[in-house]
Amino acid sequence: MTARRLLRAVTGLAMGAGALLTAPFAFAAAPQPGSGYGLPVDVSAEGHRIDWLIGVTNVLTGILFVLMLGWILYAAIGHNEKRHVAAHDHGDSRKSIFLVLGIAGSIFFVVDGNLFFNSTTDLEEVFHNFDKVEKDPATIRVEINAHQWAWDTRSAGPDGKFNTKDDIVSLNDIKIPVDTPVIFEVASTDVLHAFNLPNFRAKVDAVPGQINRFWTQGKTVGEYEIGCAQHCGTNHYKMKGVITVLSKEDYARWAKEASENSARLFDENDKDAHWGWDWKGN
Ligand SMILES: [Cu+2]
């Protein structure tokens, strides 16, 4: 092996290894709590489905990357001017066309097909299966009204109706019980925002004039971040909140106290406080 060929091989390997090693850090400027440089820790009952899809896709594209790198190295080292004269064709032979279509088609079928099949199944059976969640008498309902630059939150209180005097109203602060389904209805009063719960693998656009919904269920008691995932103006970065997963007993205690306080402070003439809407689901 001549020095030049050795240099070429080493450079190729180093570039490939460098790309592999730096890729995960390019997307994570700071470590996320609880999980180093990976995804934020998942505290939801169904978030594992999304993590599985991301993990499998990473593994499959990782395998493809290594195969392609090997192929390029083989071409660079195995075929060179000293071994034989380079052969060129236009890639329009039957064999070439079938080979290219076959490889591209298989990659598309396996990688994208897996994403498509599993994500549509997950949506149908779990994430968009509101019928099942709404039938559960334990289900909690929360309304979110986004505005520049905060999240108004409202839970129904003991009467189960929104926009009444026992509603629990807060700002950038949501409390939910553990192991209990929660349906969120999300709207916006001004511009597009996106209500994002990274630790629940849940995110939905907040759109003026429209109510979007999703449901989730916390499985680990603790405090987690709420963020806005849609650039919505100068102070977009300040649109942070906290969602707290409480034990069922703590939640019951808090909800009772909070709705009593709300009823006490209720002012019929304060129109700004009455931003809630009739619950759109069942
Ligand atoms: Cu926003």
Side-chain angles (χ1 to χ4, degrees), residues 146-151 191-194 228-233 236 239:
H147 59 86
Q148 289 173 317
W149 287 274
W151 307 99
V191 300
L192 284 178
H193 303 268
C228 181
Q230 191 71 262
H231 188 250
C232 55
H236 160 67
M239 252 177 114

Side-chain angles (χ1 to χ4, degrees), residues 10 33 43 54 107 125 146 173 185 187 214 220 224 233 238 243 255 269:
V10 170
V43 299
I54 294 172
I107 293 171
E125 290 176 1
D173 172 38
E185 284 194 347
F214 71 97
T220 316
Y224 309 101
K238 284 186 182 168
I243 179 165
N269 300 317

Side-chain angles (χ1 to χ4, degrees), residues 67-98:
L67 284 177
M68 297 298 169
L69 197 67
W71 201 345
I72 292 167
L73 281 177
Y74 170 71
I77 297 165
H79 301 273
N80 61 67
E81 69 277 14
K82 293 240 171 85
R83 296 215 168 162
H84 59 82
V85 179
H88 299 282
D89 69 47
H90 294 282
D92 55 358
S93 67
R94 219 164 220 276
K95 191 181 150 204
S96 293
I97 290 170
F98 278 117

